[in-house]
């Protein structure tokens, strides 16, 4: 059962958070800085000389799947290099290709075999993985390994994986991101999400309460938003035990029965509405937009018109100018909200509940 009074009592929150997940979730900015520093030390600048036939993003279980989706969406159809997302190295992998992968499981045999094959065939391989284990060893000294420097649970490692991938894209000249601005924005998000801040000024607590006792429909207005929404679905499922529907908005609206049900949902803007009146498990739509341009704003206006009760997660403040920054901030907000909701519902060491091991 949800104990939402926990959000108003910082001392109880800290006491309930036996694994220190709130503190570790607040380290996303530090993860970005550490990953960028590691990439610089490993000499990724050498990638600037490459003109790859294809960029292969190996999406392995965990946060890596969402990271690969976000990276591919940021590149978009205008990318001069074909971008392939796969769970293992394609059969055609060769010396003209660049491979990026992330995992927190150093014993991932599928990934180890993929990296070994890619390295043998001369592909350029960069992996954000633990320093020890079969995966790191699979490159046989030919792969560039970017190990995490900050020990955080695997479910909260988005910052390291994301910054490592952005470093690869930047070195290849495919996407330039101000990673210091990203880290600063993540630090601001963590400050706003501090346990001492109440719901009205804490975006993570606010999001957690809006998700609580609902079935969230996380619908991305545009590809980057949809990719970040996929990470949000992972975070809520992993940390709060909440099953989410995740879809691109254009695909979501073709499911007419679900759309009809979603469009009839009230706005419920009042965070303090009586849960008995709205019904536990009721649908709640969240429209996610990370990229800002005239076309996506037009789609957003149409979506809000058709779904007047939807919650809108869109750029604000200093994060207006860079989709990569906004995507990182939204991912961090989902992580923090999922931790808050997990603490209040007892799925991650909450009051009166046993701690659940998250691998």
């Amino acid at each position: 059962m949800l104990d939402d009074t926990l959000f108003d009592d910082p001392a109880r929150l800290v006491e309930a958070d036996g694994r220190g997940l709130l503190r570790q979730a607040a380290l996303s900015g530090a993860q970005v800085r550490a990953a960028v520093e590691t990439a610089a030390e490993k000499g990724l600048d050498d990638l600037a000389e490459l003109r790859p036939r294809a960029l292969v993003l190996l999406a392995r279980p965990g946060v890596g799947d969402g990271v690969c989706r976000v990276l591919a969406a940021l590149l978009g159809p205008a990318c001069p290099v074909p971008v392939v997302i796969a769970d293992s190295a394609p059969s055609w992998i060769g010396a003209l290709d660049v491979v990026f992968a992330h995992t927190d499981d150093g014993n991932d045999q599928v990934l180890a075999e993929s990296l070994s094959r890619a390295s043998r065939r001369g592909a350029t391989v960069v992996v954000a993985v633990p320093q020890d284990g079969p995966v790191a060893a699979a490159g046989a000294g030919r792969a560039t390994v970017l190990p995490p420097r900050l020990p955080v649970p695997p479910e909260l490692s988005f910052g390291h994986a994301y910054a490592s991938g952005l470093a690869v894209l930047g070195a290849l000249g495919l996407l330039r991101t101000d990673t210091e601005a990203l880290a600063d924005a993540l630090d601001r998000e963590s400050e706003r999400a501090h346990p001492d801040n109440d719901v009205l000024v804490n975006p993570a607590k606010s999001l957690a309460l809006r998700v609580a006792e609902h079935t969230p429909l996380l619908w991305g207005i545009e590809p980057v938003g949809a990719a970040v929404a996929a990470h949000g679905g992972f975070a809520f499922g992993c940390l709060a035990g909440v099953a989410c529907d995740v879809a691109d908005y254009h695909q979501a609206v073709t499911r007419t029965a679900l759309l009809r049900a979603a469009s009839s949902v009230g706005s419920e803007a009042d965070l303090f509405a009586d849960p008995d009146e709205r019904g536990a498990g009721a649908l709640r739509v969240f429209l996610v937009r990370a990229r800002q341009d005239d076309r996506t704003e037009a789609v957003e206006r149409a979506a809000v018109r058709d779904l007047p009760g939807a919650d809108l997660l869109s750029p604000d403040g200093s994060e207006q100018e860079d989709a990569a920054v906004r995507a990182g901030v939204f991912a961090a907000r989902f992580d923090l909200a999922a931790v808050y909701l997990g603490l209040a519902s007892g799925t991650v060491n909450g009051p009166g509940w046993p701690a659940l091991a998250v691998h």
Side-chain angles (χ1 to χ4, degrees):
M1 294 181 62
L2 181 74
D3 180 10
D4 56 8
T5 65
L6 201 67
F7 294 154
D8 299 320
D9 192 332
R12 285 181 61 215
L13 267 173
V14 173
E15 182 180 0
D17 188 12
R19 295 176 61 194
L21 292 178
L22 285 174
R23 177 183 56 79
Q24 294 176 91
L27 293 175
S28 53
Q31 286 188 57
V32 167
R33 292 188 179 90
V36 170
E37 184 176 341
T38 299
E41 292 175 357
K42 295 289 185 174
L44 287 190
D45 290 344
D46 293 344
L47 298 182
E49 301 175 1
L50 297 179
R51 292 296 179 266
R53 175 182 61 173
L55 171 63
V56 180
L57 305 175
L58 298 182
R60 300 301 301 150
V63 302
D65 181 72
V67 167
C68 289
R69 292 173 184 271
V70 173
L71 295 174
L74 287 169
L75 290 171
C79 180
V81 174
V83 179
V84 177
I85 300 178
D87 58 4
S88 62
S91 59
W92 46 259
I93 200 77
L96 299 178
D97 304 311
V98 173
V99 176
F100 171 75
H102 165 269
T103 186
D104 289 290
D105 179 8
N107 296 308
D108 184 335
Q109 292 300 318
V110 172
L111 182 56
E113 292 170 5
S114 291
L115 299 183
S116 177
R117 180 164 64 252
S119 295
R120 288 198 312 271
R121 295 183 180 180
T124 300
V125 177
V126 182
V127 288
V129 301
Q131 185 69 59
D132 301 318
V135 174
R142 293 189 290 270
T144 300
V145 178
L146 308 178
R149 294 186 175 185
L150 296 177
V152 298
E155 59 270 29
L156 296 175
S157 63
F158 186 95
H160 171 248
Y162 187 47
S164 298
L166 289 175
V168 172
L169 301 190
L172 288 171
L174 300 178
L175 180 71
R176 299 295 184 186
T177 302
D178 186 342
T179 51
E180 188 58 35
L182 170 61
D184 290 343
L186 290 171
D187 287 345
R188 289 193 296 271
E189 185 70 15
S190 296
E191 290 170 5
R192 296 169 66 197
H194 193 279
D196 288 345
N197 295 334
D198 64 32
V199 170
L200 295 178
V201 296
N202 187 319
K205 285 184 181 179
S206 174
L207 179 56
L209 276 177
R210 301 200 310 271
V211 169
E213 298 184 330
H214 287 81
T215 298
L217 311 181
L218 305 181
W219 292 352
I221 292 294
E222 39 70 41
V224 182
V228 177
H231 174 73
F234 166 80
F236 282 121
C238 186
L239 293 159
V242 174
C244 303
D245 177 73
V246 178
D248 175 273
Y249 175 74
H250 300 285
Q251 176 69 16
V253 298
T254 66
R255 299 176 296 177
T256 52
L258 183 58
L259 177 65
R260 190 178 304 116
S263 63
S264 66
V265 175
S267 65
E268 301 183 35
D270 182 4
L271 293 175
F272 306 102
D274 185 351
D276 294 332
E277 294 180 2
R278 66 189 181 218
L283 299 177
R284 187 155 198 169
V285 182
F286 294 85
L287 300 173
V288 186
R289 175 169 65 85
R291 192 182 294 280
Q292 180 148 331
D293 55 43
D294 292 341
R295 180 178 180 278
T296 56
E297 289 178 4
V299 175
E300 181 183 285
R301 286 193 296 271
V304 171
R305 181 194 63 222
D306 296 338
L307 297 164
D311 283 69
L312 188 60
L313 300 180
S314 61
D316 61 342
S318 60
E319 282 76 55
Q320 293 272 348
E321 67 286 348
D322 189 331
V325 172
R326 292 193 296 270
V329 169
F330 283 151
R333 187 173 302 175
F334 279 127
D335 285 346
L336 286 156
V339 172
Y340 274 118
L341 187 54
L343 292 173
S345 60
T347 58
V348 285
N349 216 21
W353 289 65
L356 297 180
V358 181
H359 300 287

